[in-house]
Amino acid sequence: MVATAVLSGLVAAGSAALLTWSARRRSGAYATARLLVAGAAVLALVSLLVGVTATVTGPPRWAGPEAGHSGWAELVAAGTALAGLAFCGGLLRLPGAGTGAAATGRLVLDGLVVATALWFVGWVLCSEPTRLLGAATPVACPTILLASMSAALTTGLAVIVVVRSAAPRRRLALLAAGGTVTTWGGLAVAAGLCQAGPAVVAVGAVLTALGLAACAVAARRVGPPGQLDVDPIGRDGEYAFVPMFGMAASAMYHLAQGGRFDALAIVAGSLEGFALVARQYLTLNDVRGYAARLAERERHFRELAHTDPLTGLANRRGLLRALHRCAEAGVPCVLLVLDLDGFKNVNDMRGHDVGDAVLAEVGLRLRGNLRPGDLAARLGGDEFAVLVHGGHAEADPVAERLLALLGRPYEQLDGPVFLSVSIGLAEPAGTPDVELLQRNADLALRYAKQRGKNRIERYDAAYDQLLRRRTTLEHELRGAIDRNELRLAFQPVASLPSVRPVGAEALLRWHHPELGNVRPDEFIPLAEECGMISTLGAWVLHQACWQLSRWLADGHDVWVSVNVSPRELHAPEYVVQVAEALRTHHVPPQRLVLEVTEHAVATDLDELIRRLAALRLTGVRIALDDFGAGYSSLGQLRRLPIDILKIDHSLVAEHEPVRPVGRDGPAFAPMVDIVMRLGHQLGLEVIAEGVTTPTELAAVVAAGCRFGQGALFGWGVPAEHLEAMLDAATSPAARPTQLPVVPAQRSGDRSAGRSAQAAPGAPVPPTGDPSLSVNQNVGSVDSSREMRQA
């Protein structure tokens, strides 16, 4: 007994010293926990020394009515109870364990549930009629009940902390086991002093020493328990099943043995029930808080799902939600769809950061200038929408205000940004239909864009008819060539003043079996938009060359011109297509004229010059069509590699002929006279377009124009009709004429690039043959005036 007591005391003292030294040297998150564990170790050591000393040195009173050392037992029991409470405090103060008052309360209640069940099972085993320890059962020292409760609480809390902590948890388990064994050892010492005898005291001393040693080892490198699993919905109720089962089983066993429940058992059962109720109440609060947070986050994310992150306005989903609410409530509303004109240039030239800043400013202007109840939304990119409650009387002023407001400059660090806005406006007709309302507003916006931008366009039912026709035309146009619905008409070019046909312009015509004759000014722009202009142009080029080769083979002295669209002209493979068509149909290059409109000149002059120069290298001639319509300048005209000027009809028809001042002579068209002089100075041939009356014919002849084209000489006719005209012109009564060739060369490379080849029967040009041409894609596109004439 003495040896065991001395050895246990030495081990316990050493362990307590190590714990105290470790607590004094450590700081930070573990400082409080280590101090509490060290304090628990000191209390346990003092209780052990008191118990061992009382057992070894005291009188041997282990039998009789005054058996045991009840005074010393009460002191040891009190010290053990305090040590257990200190150790529980150390566990709760470990980082990650009691992260707050609520978390600490949950752990204490969980530990109390386990501890109460454990204490109740112990009471059953130690009370009548069970009495597991028999006569050694300590009944003479009520004070040791405190030690037993402390031991049970330490065990329950240690189990909960270890089970709930995240892995790895071996050192934490060692610390918890050490504290639990220490308190049980102190309880054994107190019970031995009270009644059980020296053997129980010796066992308690050994347990206390081992527990303190385990605590000393674990405390040197114990890690935090981590985030404890306190999920109120997942596993937060599983801890209660085992303790409740233990209590129920032990109570049934106690009753089966004929036992009765005294006040202590009733208190233990009530405490278990109250602990469970309190724990579940906290769990219910956790669930309520969790549900509230979940609902708040759901509201937040739902709002995010209906909000544009850049501008803070509603997004497309938010607008649809508002539209559906209006439709369900039957509230009249008007939808405005807005699109920023030219915004792509802002991103391209100033960068996307500036573009985003402009969009954010648009959002601020919209949000700050709407009536209460109206909704502004960003649909995507630079497209916005405004939902105005009420009819068009309320929506029109809003649209006018927004048109002016969004057209103001947008101040940025590197200078202001200037934009305009196009607005499409639509309101429900009859039964509210959200999808139809959106479609109508988008359609109105489209026509606002097409009609000049920076304007407001209200939806009209005629837009649907136009859209359906455009869709039908686009669909049918894709198969028009395969169905042989396209044909060429040829408008003659006459030599003046003999009015003899010497050339023709190929004009594309489309006759649909159901739609009838479709005007070129309707399907040609559509072909350019949908990317079919190159296909149509290639077909027209080959058909025109094939017809020209037949006329030349029949001995007709004629040339044919083909219109070229800007899209074709800028295609890299166009020059190859032209050369291939000439080679396939054996057409002399100078017999083919490619007409380029002034609109093509206005797009990219330098690129146009390169393309035209490459085309002229093939030997074809280049004509500038619609000259005088407003795009060309004299400086551009000098740079363009062209051979023929075609005077626009407006210069021929919109001015009355004038008579020479101070001399006799026929009346002439002054603008035609100016263009004629300019063309001759630049070495160009000139053709007057749109000659429709004898007066206009006389005026252009008086101005010195040698070639004319227009209704006076014939509309666009089938090839066989033009062939009949050519046959009539070559009859013996017809006067000979010459081709529209270049009478004089411009300075530079014009004469060097010409070929000496001429078609059979054609007069040789004065200074070499027709100019050579550029690599580009020929398009049989009628000029706007010729399309109107068709």
Side-chain angles (χ1 to χ4, degrees), residues 462-482:
Y463 296 164
D464 281 324
Q465 299 176 2
L466 296 174
L467 179 61
R468 281 194 293 269
R469 179 169 176 83
R470 183 191 184 281
T471 304
T472 302
L473 288 178
E474 180 179 349
H475 180 268
E476 295 298 321
L477 184 59
R478 296 186 182 277
I481 295 177
D482 296 334

Side-chain angles (χ1 to χ4, degrees), residues 229-261:
D229 182 12
V230 290
D231 182 10
I233 296 178
R235 301 171 50 195
D236 199 44
E238 296 179 359
Y239 70 92
F241 288 101
V242 173
M244 286 301 298
F245 178 79
M247 287 189 69
S250 60
M252 293 176 64
Y253 175 74
H254 185 66
L255 290 175
Q257 295 296 321
R260 301 178 62 187
F261 294 106

Side-chain angles (χ1 to χ4, degrees), residues 363-437:
L364 290 176
R365 295 185 186 184
L366 288 176
R367 190 164 45 245
N369 289 273
L370 292 180
R371 305 175 309 165
D374 293 345
L375 175 72
R378 181 187 176 210
L379 304 182
D382 60 342
E383 188 175 356
F384 294 82
V386 174
L387 182 62
V388 179
H389 292 281
H392 64 85
E394 292 83 2
D396 289 344
V398 173
E400 294 287 351
R401 184 170 67 251
L402 294 180
L403 186 69
L405 180 71
L406 300 181
R408 297 176 184 172
Y410 297 84
E411 298 296 335
Q412 299 297 319
L413 294 178
D414 54 349
V417 174
F418 298 93
L419 293 172
S420 62
V421 64
S422 299
I423 302 178
L425 186 148
E427 57 183 326
T431 304
D433 189 329
V434 172
E435 288 73 18
L436 182 61
L437 181 62

Side-chain angles (χ1 to χ4, degrees), residues 571-631:
E573 67 275 8
Y574 186 61
V575 173
V576 178
Q577 292 180 4
V578 172
E580 180 64 26
L582 294 173
R583 182 169 52 254
T584 300
H585 301 288
H586 307 287
V587 172
Q590 71 274 12
R591 297 289 182 171
L592 178 65
V593 177
L594 301 180
E595 295 190 14
V596 181
T597 63
E598 281 193 314
H599 176 69
V601 176
T603 54
D604 188 345
L605 183 60
D606 292 335
E607 178 66 17
L608 177 68
I609 291 174
R610 288 192 292 270
R611 297 296 185 185
L612 294 180
L615 278 172
R616 293 183 70 218
L617 290 176
T618 65
V620 300
R621 289 178 292 168
I622 307 297
L624 182 60
D625 197 10
D626 297 336
F627 181 74
Y631 287 107

Side-chain angles (χ1 to χ4, degrees), residues 133-500:
L133 298 179
T137 301
V139 294
C141 303
T143 310
I144 68 171
L145 290 174
L146 295 176
S148 65
M149 294 178 183
S150 177
L153 182 61
T154 303
T155 304
L157 188 61
V159 169
I160 291 297
V161 170
V162 172
V163 170
R164 292 284 182 86
S165 65
R169 50 194 175 191
R170 287 177 297 178
R171 293 190 178 275
L172 177 64
L174 181 62
L175 178 64
T180 301
V181 171
T182 299
T183 54
W184 282 101
L187 175 62
V189 171
L193 287 174
C194 181
Q195 187 172 339
V200 176
V201 172
V203 172
V206 172
L207 291 177
T208 301
L210 292 177
L212 290 178
C215 290
V217 173
R220 291 180 60 85
R221 296 183 61 184
V222 66
Q227 185 63 41
L228 301 186
D229 182 12
V230 290
D231 182 10
I233 296 178
R235 301 171 50 195
D236 199 44
E238 296 179 359
Y239 70 92
F241 288 101
V242 173
M244 286 301 298
F245 178 79
M247 287 189 69
S250 60
M252 293 176 64
Y253 175 74
H254 185 66
L255 290 175
Q257 295 296 321
R260 301 178 62 187
F261 294 106
D262 57 11
L264 290 176
I266 295 174
V267 169
S270 301
L271 183 63
E272 180 78 2
F274 281 117
L276 285 173
V277 170
R279 185 62 180 90
Q280 295 310 310
Y281 176 76
L282 291 179
T283 301
L284 180 61
N285 280 341
D286 290 338
V287 172
R288 288 173 177 170
Y290 181 82
R293 290 192 301 272
L294 185 62
E296 181 63 29
R297 291 175 182 175
E298 182 181 1
R299 285 193 296 270
H300 174 68
F301 287 117
R302 184 184 295 112
E303 197 61 31
L304 285 181
H306 293 86
T307 303
D308 176 63
L310 178 62
T311 62
L313 303 177
N315 59 11
R316 189 178 294 274
R317 288 194 190 93
L319 177 64
L320 286 174
R321 180 175 62 177
L323 286 171
H324 283 292
R325 287 176 179 173
C326 288
E328 293 170 359
V331 177
C333 60
V334 179
L335 180 62
L336 281 65
V337 179
L338 305 86
D339 190 84
L340 301 178
D341 303 325
F343 179 76
K344 185 178 184 301
N345 294 331
V346 178
N347 281 335
D348 293 342
M349 303 303 296
R350 305 282 287 272
H352 287 276
D353 291 341
V354 174
D356 289 347
V358 169
L359 293 176
E361 177 64 22
V362 171
L364 290 176
R365 295 185 186 184
L366 288 176
R367 190 164 45 245
N369 289 273
L370 292 180
R371 305 175 309 165
D374 293 345
L375 175 72
R378 181 187 176 210
L379 304 182
D382 60 342
E383 188 175 356
F384 294 82
V386 174
L387 182 62
V388 179
H389 292 281
H392 64 85
E394 292 83 2
D396 289 344
V398 173
E400 294 287 351
R401 184 170 67 251
L402 294 180
L403 186 69
L405 180 71
L406 300 181
R408 297 176 184 172
Y410 297 84
E411 298 296 335
Q412 299 297 319
L413 294 178
D414 54 349
V417 174
F418 298 93
L419 293 172
S420 62
V421 64
S422 299
I423 302 178
L425 186 148
E427 57 183 326
T431 304
D433 189 329
V434 172
E435 288 73 18
L436 182 61
L437 181 62
Q438 285 187 291
R439 174 186 174 276
N440 293 345
D442 289 336
L443 197 56
L445 174 63
R446 175 178 177 178
Y447 278 90
K449 287 279 192 181
Q450 290 181 355
R451 295 180 178 180
K453 303 179 180 179
N454 192 28
R455 58 183 292 147
I456 302 169
E457 195 70 33
R458 181 180 294 278
Y459 169 77
D460 192 292
Y463 296 164
D464 281 324
Q465 299 176 2
L466 296 174
L467 179 61
R468 281 194 293 269
R469 179 169 176 83
R470 183 191 184 281
T471 304
T472 302
L473 288 178
E474 180 179 349
H475 180 268
E476 295 298 321
L477 184 59
R478 296 186 182 277
I481 295 177
D482 296 334
R483 296 190 300 268
N484 296 320
E485 296 173 1
L486 300 180
R487 63 182 177 86
L488 289 185
F490 296 90
Q491 186 174 30
V493 177
S495 175
L496 302 180
S498 65
V499 196
R500 175 184 177 183

